[in-house]
Amino acid sequence: MNNSIGPDLRNPKRIVIVGGGSTGWIAAAVLANQFRPEVCNITLVESEEIGTIGVGESTIPPFVGLLRGLGIDEADFIRETQASFKLGIRFGDWLQKGQSYFHPFGVIGNRLGTHEFYQAWLWAQLCGESSQLQDHAPCSVMAQQGKFFLPQKAQKTPIGGASYALHLDAKLAGHYLRRYAETRGVQRVEGRVEEVYSAENGVIEKLRLADGREIDGDFFIDCSGFRALLIEKHLDVGFEDWKDSLPCDRAVAVQTSNTGATTPYTQAIAEDAGWRWRIPLQHRTGNGYVYDSRFVSDDQARARLLAAVDGEPLTEPALIPFRTGVRRELWKSNCLSLGLAAGFIEPLESTAIHLVTRGLDFSCATSRRILPIPKATACWLPNTTAACASTTRRSAILSCCTTA
């Protein structure tokens, strides 16, 4: 991080977000919740011409905490975004065909005195106990039975140790957060960024849109997706490619009609050249196939996905090329990158939205307006976001290695 960017970073009067979608409007909502309009003007620039990827529809439990932190009514959000509850991820066919593993949220058993539950369970196994470890995870048991109960309403029961996240319609979630942000003073500007202007010291000063309008700012947040208009195209920070560890480089996605009951978990099913996802919502199901293009063609991947889905396709299959990795600098000068602009990792553990919110957490802390911290600490916090992405990468690799 460049530490010579002046006082405006710690006390920005004008924040400009480039790009909408889930990432841009999450950033706008969080900042609008932290800064009063009279203190800081927040502008989001997006173009209807460009559109969004719109397939990041599975979250992990901290997302529910984000909604609560923003003061959003959970029931209203679920209703408006056609969301469903998620208790974990079911990995199918990874170790061998027909075998599955469930990754539950929340606890697996309760501590017994000073001992972790799994230690007591291992000892019981040696003494003849026949139960499986997952039998003691409330999320695993509820998922297996297709049930759900709010953990906070059963605090003194085994269910109290459960946790949950949401499956959501990414576009509807973006619209919901846009309404939230705009009612709190965020200004949306429709337009396509044509040019970025910087001062001699590298600080971004303004954007020029295709129609000639100019947008000035003190601090800029790049949420422009894979295009990375500010952090890469303009600031040229470079990219750390992770293809050697995570070789999948394409995905095809399709939405289908629901069949049967909505399952309270995401499915990740192994394939010969990658893996498939299945994310059930109230009004439809999201499906996708992540694959390595060296071993299967786009046409073959599309055909395989359509043959495997339940329900009738509601959309044409969308092809999404991607490069797995992270920008060498997530924050340079007065520009922070979030979401796909910062990097990408295949969504095996549904961490895309989580990394966006973590990036915002660290940036708010470093700004010292929301959380005053020592100067020495401020120097490394932005790099911690990269460390978070790297940790996620290692977790995904470990998951592949231990289930393949």
Side-chain angles (χ1 to χ4, degrees):
M1 173 185 171
N2 185 343
N3 291 310
S4 60
I5 53 183
D8 283 341
L9 173 60
R10 295 188 296 273
N11 189 25
K13 300 296 184 184
R14 300 165 300 173
I15 297 176
V16 179
I17 302 168
V18 176
S22 298
T23 299
W25 287 110
I26 285 174
V30 169
L31 293 173
N33 187 55
Q34 298 288 352
F35 294 98
R36 298 189 305 276
E38 61 270 22
V39 173
C40 180
N41 177 271
I42 303 170
T43 302
L44 186 146
V45 182
E46 67 175 340
S47 172
E48 295 288 351
E49 298 176 9
I50 298 173
T52 59
I53 297 293
V55 296
E57 300 188 324
S58 188
T59 67
I60 58 177
F63 181 75
V64 177
L66 171 68
L67 297 179
R68 293 170 183 166
L70 293 175
I72 290 174
D73 181 85
E74 189 176 312
D76 183 63
F77 182 86
I78 290 172
R79 181 172 53 253
E80 294 296 320
T81 64
Q82 292 293 298
S84 64
F85 293 110
K86 175 184 175 182
L87 295 168
I89 306 173
R90 183 181 183 272
F91 294 92
D93 298 339
W94 287 80
L95 183 62
Q96 61 185 34
K97 294 285 186 180
Q99 189 174 77
S100 66
Y101 165 76
F102 190 78
H103 175 188
F105 297 140
V107 302
I108 300 180
N110 295 317
R111 286 181 63 93
L112 299 174
T114 60
H115 300 288
E116 295 291 343
F117 178 82
Y118 78 89
Q119 295 174 323
W121 176 81
L122 287 173
W123 178 256
Q125 291 286 301
L126 294 176
C127 297
E129 170 64 32
S130 60
S131 67
Q132 298 297 309
L133 183 60
Q134 294 281 6
D135 294 341
H136 305 278
C139 283
S140 294
V141 176
M142 285 192 288
Q144 185 180 33
Q145 298 182 11
K147 305 291 185 181
F148 178 80
F149 197 89
L150 288 170
Q152 60 266 32
K153 292 189 175 182
Q155 287 293 333
K156 295 183 179 181
T157 74
I159 293 177
S163 187
Y164 66 96
L166 298 175
H167 302 124
L168 50 84
D169 184 308
K171 291 187 177 180
L172 292 180
H175 294 159
Y176 189 100
L177 292 169
R178 172 182 169 179
R179 293 193 298 272
Y180 175 96
E182 288 183 322
T183 58
R184 286 159 178 77
V186 174
Q187 301 173 22
R188 178 188 180 275
V189 174
E190 168 66 31
R192 180 166 49 84
V193 175
E194 193 75 15
E195 192 74 38
V196 182
Y197 297 96
S198 290
E200 290 184 1
N201 63 354
V203 172
I204 297 176
E205 294 184 322
K206 63 183 178 180
L207 313 174
R208 180 173 62 81
L209 306 186
D211 61 7
R213 287 176 295 168
E214 294 184 345
I215 308 292
D216 300 316
D218 302 317
F219 193 70
F220 293 79
I221 303 179
D222 191 344
C223 301
S224 62
F226 288 130
R227 293 171 298 135
L229 292 177
L230 306 184
I231 198 70
E232 188 62 54
K233 187 175 180 181
H234 181 70
L235 293 175
D236 193 25
V237 298
F239 187 81
E240 182 181 321
D241 197 313
W242 291 348
K243 187 174 178 63
D244 59 331
S245 301
L246 299 169
C248 289
D249 57 4
R250 296 173 94 78
V252 59
V254 68
Q255 299 172 7
T256 59
S257 59
N258 285 339
T259 59
T262 300
T263 56
Y265 52 86
T266 298
Q267 291 189 58
I269 304 102
E271 292 284 345
D272 291 340
W275 59 279
R276 287 184 291 112
W277 77 74
R278 183 180 185 277
I279 302 172
L281 305 177
Q282 293 182 46
H283 63 315
R284 63 166 174 81
T285 297
N287 309 270
Y289 181 10
V290 179
Y291 59 96
D292 186 333
S293 61
R294 295 175 300 175
F295 302 106
V296 63
S297 70
D298 295 339
D299 288 340
Q300 289 172 326
R302 185 181 296 108
R304 172 56 188 152
L305 177 61
L306 291 176
V309 298
D310 299 320
E312 294 296 319
L314 302 176
T315 60
E316 286 296 317
L319 185 65
I320 308 167
F322 62 82
R323 187 161 59 138
T324 300
V326 67
R327 304 292 165 196
R328 295 193 182 280
E329 293 181 79
L330 301 181
W331 182 340
K332 183 174 182 180
S333 187
N334 63 334
C335 177
L336 171 71
S337 59
L338 293 173
L340 300 179
F344 180 78
I345 184 168
E346 57 188 89
L348 192 60
E349 286 283 352
S350 313
T351 51
I353 290 178
H354 178 64
L355 290 176
V356 172
T357 57
R358 289 283 282 176
L360 283 166
D361 285 343
F362 288 130
S363 65
C364 287
T366 305
S367 75
R368 283 194 262 175
R369 171 169 287 280
I370 290 86
L371 177 64
I373 52 176
K375 184 180 294 185
T377 308
C379 295
W380 63 259
L381 268 173
N383 295 326
T384 309
T385 310
C388 183
S390 181
T391 300
T392 306
R393 172 203 185 198
R394 291 194 299 271
S395 297
I397 295 170
L398 178 61
S399 179
C400 289
C401 292
T402 55
T403 56

